[in-house]
Amino acid sequence: METGTQGETAPPEWVGLPGGLLSMRRLLLVIWTVLLTAVTGVLLGLLAGPGWAFLGAVWLGVLAWGWVMLGRNWRSWRYAERADDLLISRGVLWREQTVVPYGRMQLVEVTSGPLERRFGLSSVQLHTAAAATDAKIPGLVPAEAERLRDRLTELGEARSAGL
């Protein structure tokens, strides 16, 4: 562990996620809520009468609430590379912090689905011997995801070689 001048442990240097993940998730939210607003309004207008069609606007409230929640969730994701392990922190109401020791990593994957590729994003998936400690960092720029994969693989091999 890194120590300060008086033997104190230095706080980890946290790295947040780039804004592309937030943009992608908010775009999906807008698409789905606008679609649900239109479908609900049309169906209620046809089945219950034109006066009921305005209830489709309830989905616009969901859009406003979801917009704020997605922003809070995105800001909660962060990771820090330390000397012996990787920290991943996330969560707004229920904070979760995962510590993955480099020597315990068995596989580091970089994945990118079609939508992620469209937004220029990749995810880093860390696999360990215990399934409960698998960890994922979503929404990284591909170059950073590949750098992180290579660094974690290198550190994992160095730490496991000493076992």
Side-chain angles (χ1 to χ4, degrees):
M1 294 190 127
E2 300 174 17
T3 57
T5 57
Q6 299 174 351
E8 298 174 7
T9 302
E13 292 185 32
W14 293 101
V15 177
L17 299 181
L21 181 65
L22 180 60
S23 298
M24 180 185 76
R25 288 180 175 174
R26 282 184 168 167
L27 177 64
L28 289 172
L29 176 68
V30 168
I31 290 170
W32 280 106
T33 55
V34 167
L35 181 66
L36 288 169
T37 299
V39 168
T40 303
V42 168
L43 285 177
L44 284 175
L46 292 173
L47 299 174
W52 291 93
F54 77 94
L55 286 177
V58 167
W59 291 108
L60 299 178
V62 171
L63 172 63
W65 176 80
W67 190 274
V68 172
M69 290 297 107
L70 285 174
R72 290 182 66 193
N73 179 268
W74 170 78
R75 282 188 299 278
S76 76
W77 275 89
R78 57 192 185 152
Y79 65 96
E81 299 174 61
R82 298 195 305 183
D84 297 318
D85 51 31
L86 177 74
L87 299 176
I88 301 171
S89 180
R90 65 191 168 279
V92 177
L93 293 176
W94 287 272
R95 301 275 317 157
E96 183 176 329
Q97 190 168 35
T98 304
V99 179
V100 183
Y102 297 134
R104 299 288 178 116
M105 284 189 275
Q106 294 183 330
L107 176 66
V108 182
E109 289 181 299
V110 174
T111 60
S112 186
L115 192 56
E116 288 176 311
R117 282 194 305 273
R118 175 71 177 101
F119 280 84
L121 301 173
S122 293
S123 296
V124 174
Q125 178 78 41
L126 308 164
H127 299 278
T128 63
T133 58
D134 286 359
K136 184 176 185 175
I137 304 172
L140 296 174
V141 175
E144 171 63 8
E146 291 170 10
R147 182 205 66 81
L148 192 58
R149 177 201 58 210
D150 294 344
R151 174 157 167 70
L152 294 175
T153 302
E154 179 184 308
L155 288 168
E157 288 173 355
R159 298 296 193 279
S160 67
L163 295 178

